[in-house]
Amino acid sequence: MNVGLPADEYDKLRESVFTTIWNELDPLEHQIEDTESIPYDVVLPALRACGAFGLIIPREYGGAGLSIAQYLPILAEFAKIQGGIRAIVHVHNSFAHALSEIGSEEQKQAILPGAAVGEKSLAFALTEPGNGTGMDLSTRARRDGDEYVLDGRKWLITNSDIASHFLVLAKTADREVSAIIVPRDAPGFTIAPLPETMGCKGAEHGELTFTDVRVPAANLVGAEGEGIAHLERALEISRVFIAASSLGTATRALDLSLRFAKERVTFGRPIGERQAIQRYLAEMATDVYALRGMLADVAAKWDRDQRVPAESSLVKQFGLEAVGRVTDRALLVHGGIGYTRKYPIERLYRDARLNWLEEGPPTVQYLVAARQLLDGFTFDDAFDSATR
Ligand SMILES: Cc1cc2nc3c(=O)[nH]c(=O)nc-3n(C[C@H](O)[C@H](O)[C@H](O)COP(=O)(O)OP(=O)(O)OC[C@H]3O[C@@H](n4cnc5c(N)ncnc54)[C@H](O)[C@@H]3O)c2cc1C
């Protein structure tokens, strides 16, 4: 059972992060969108100072040790502002959290205390240019004495410009995938930028090349061949984080639309008085409300130490569809001016589309959820007993 931080400490931390988000980071939106780069000299110290890098790193390693229920609203708040900043915070926290669950004590001691204060960070390297993921990976890690030798390529790896370590998924045998930590400075390891993205601008999602990269065998996470199991565990909760990001973006789009509907006057009346616009607003609020409920349920289950493979894929899929509908309607409420950069609506629209791809596209979510359902998954009886 993870109860997280005591309420008063949590409130203080949350207040500090929210203040940083709105006072220091949100004003950087136009600069980041114009230059397509994040001013790290401003953003990283601000994130460090408010504690954003240690949010879900356990307290024994210097983090805040938030429960998932405490973390989701903070991540959602990041998803209201420029998306590149949210991507940095999400990937850092998500994979530091994963290491805290699947890493050895030595690996955790080596990385987590630095990660908690934003001096170290772990990027996650799964996706490859030449093939699919899982058993289709072509990156290889060959055991040679007390080392692994890695060869292969990865791409679209978020935080590739700032990560100190990379959790690399590689084949150690024909039907065997393993997870191995590769430090940024390993000889033979090179990182190149990819072209700029549609949204979440400024965050780097680079291409990694491994040519005879040697790392100590102690960098293997878990046992050889356990990579897929680790991947499933890491992605299970990380998909919930993406759904929380969808919630934040959708909530901001709804808030902006409500304000605009009261301000914009046509034919002598605010458009918010028109039934057609009211319908858009009510539909947007329905999506936000439903997503909030699903997230509260899945967070409570995870914090009670329940596994949530079906729920995490379902909420991730619902979240991206919900934020898709909400940002579509927000654009309609705003009319033509919403298509310009006068309001953040067009940016929220673009940023949200990354939620389709992060932690697996829809086809993967359908596959994971359907397998669970066909395997006998049922919703627990909490809803039934709560309504009796
Ligand atoms: C900005 C950004 C940041 C990212 N950050 C990271 C990161 O940090 N680490 C990381 O490892 N990856 C990262 N990714 C990669 C992301 O997770 C993948 O793009 C996503 O999972 C889809 O994989 P793919 O690009 O290889 O698409 P593909 O596998 O080529 O899929 C293309 C289409 O085919 C469908 N498809 C593919 N195979 C099948 C199948 N077997 N059955 C049915 N449908 C199929 C897919 O659903 C999709 O619609 C990032 C991507 C982006 C855009």
Side-chain angles (χ1 to χ4, degrees):
M1 178 87 184
N2 183 3
V3 294
L5 270 186
D8 53 337
E9 285 180 54
Y10 174 63
D11 289 346
K12 241 168 79 185
L13 174 63
R14 182 179 154 128
E15 177 65 28
S16 150
V17 179
F18 279 30
T19 304
T20 301
I21 287 174
W22 292 107
N23 293 356
E24 295 179 50
L25 301 175
D26 183 51
L28 300 172
E29 171 168 344
H30 283 292
Q31 179 186 343
I32 296 172
E33 295 293 312
D34 287 346
T35 60
E36 301 192 325
S37 72
I38 291 177
Y40 285 134
D41 55 332
V42 180
V43 170
L44 297 183
L47 292 173
R48 284 187 192 119
C50 72
F53 285 125
L55 293 169
I56 44 175
I57 293 176
R59 300 186 83 174
E60 63 263 40
Y61 301 104
L66 296 187
S67 67
I68 297 305
Q70 291 175 329
Y71 176 59
L72 297 186
I74 296 182
L75 183 62
E77 201 71 10
F78 274 106
K80 295 178 180 178
I81 63 162
Q82 202 279 331
I85 298 173
R86 192 276 308 173
I88 291 174
V89 172
H90 158 64
V91 169
H92 176 97
N93 275 285
S94 193
F95 293 100
H97 179 257
L99 187 71
S100 78
E101 296 208 320
I102 60 179
S104 68
E105 193 49 42
E106 293 72 30
Q107 290 163 349
K108 292 191 241 184
Q109 291 291 353
I111 296 177
L112 294 183
V117 292
E119 280 163 8
K120 289 185 178 163
S121 71
L122 194 67
F124 173 66
L126 172 66
T127 309
E128 299 191 355
N131 36 264
T133 52
M135 285 303 164
D136 199 30
L137 291 177
S138 70
T139 297
R140 303 259 157 192
R142 169 176 57 86
R143 182 77 189 245
D144 183 21
D146 55 3
E147 290 180 322
Y148 281 100
V149 188
L150 283 93
D151 286 282
R153 283 164 70 207
K154 301 281 178 185
W155 72 359
L156 294 164
I157 307 308
T158 305
N159 286 356
S160 57
D161 53 343
I162 53 174
S164 58
H165 295 78
F166 294 76
L167 184 63
V168 179
L169 275 292
K171 287 273 200 67
T172 36
D174 248 8
R175 304 286 305 158
E176 210 178 84
V177 173
S178 301
I180 296 173
I181 297 171
V182 178
R184 184 181 194 87
D185 57 3
F189 177 25
T190 57
I191 306 169
L194 285 176
E196 192 46 58
T197 48
M198 167 188 185
C200 295
K201 288 189 176 293
E204 276 274 349
H205 317 281
E207 178 161 4
L208 320 181
T209 306
F210 305 92
T211 312
D212 280 337
V213 174
R214 288 180 173 270
V215 297
N219 285 21
L220 177 72
V221 178
E224 251 189 33
E226 282 183 357
I228 297 286
H230 290 332
L231 178 66
E232 283 169 359
R233 172 88 186 166
L235 291 183
E236 193 173 313
I237 192 60
S238 207
R239 286 179 177 139
V240 176
F241 301 155
I242 302 305
S245 304
S246 297
L247 175 66
T249 306
T251 304
R252 178 98 194 269
L254 173 60
D255 290 347
L256 289 166
S257 300
L258 287 167
R259 191 189 312 163
F260 188 83
K262 289 181 200 162
E263 287 169 5
R264 171 75 174 148
V265 173
T266 67
F267 299 93
R269 283 164 59 190
I271 59 169
E273 290 183 13
R274 309 286 174 187
Q275 206 171 25
I277 295 293
Q278 289 173 355
R279 176 172 174 170
Y280 287 149
L281 297 171
E283 285 174 341
M284 292 160 81
T286 307
D287 272 327
V288 167
Y289 184 37
L291 186 50
R292 285 169 65 108
M294 289 173 84
L295 281 165
D297 177 68
V298 73
K301 285 179 177 164
W302 185 273
D303 287 336
R304 284 199 303 265
D305 299 326
Q306 263 176 261
R307 293 293 303 263
V308 291
E311 292 93 330
S312 73
S313 279
L314 295 172
V315 72
K316 170 159 176 206
Q317 183 59 28
F318 180 79
L320 69 88
E321 290 173 7
V323 76
R325 285 188 291 268
V326 171
T327 49
D328 268 340
R329 283 166 175 72
L331 202 53
L332 293 172
V333 170
H334 281 75
I337 201 69
Y339 194 66
T340 74
R341 284 179 51 188
K342 182 168 169 58
Y343 296 97
I345 291 299
E346 63 83 35
R347 178 193 54 76
L348 292 167
Y349 183 97
R350 287 184 287 106
D351 286 351
R353 267 62 196 170
L354 180 54
N355 297 171
W356 268 246
L357 301 159
E358 290 169 291
E359 323 330 30
T363 52
V364 171
Q365 310 312 323
Y366 300 141
L367 179 85
V368 174
R371 267 192 196 148
Q372 293 291 324
L373 295 167
L374 293 167
D375 215 27
F377 167 84
T378 51
F379 296 105
D380 61 27
D381 60 4
F383 173 74
D384 191 30
S385 52
T387 50
R388 245 183 261 141

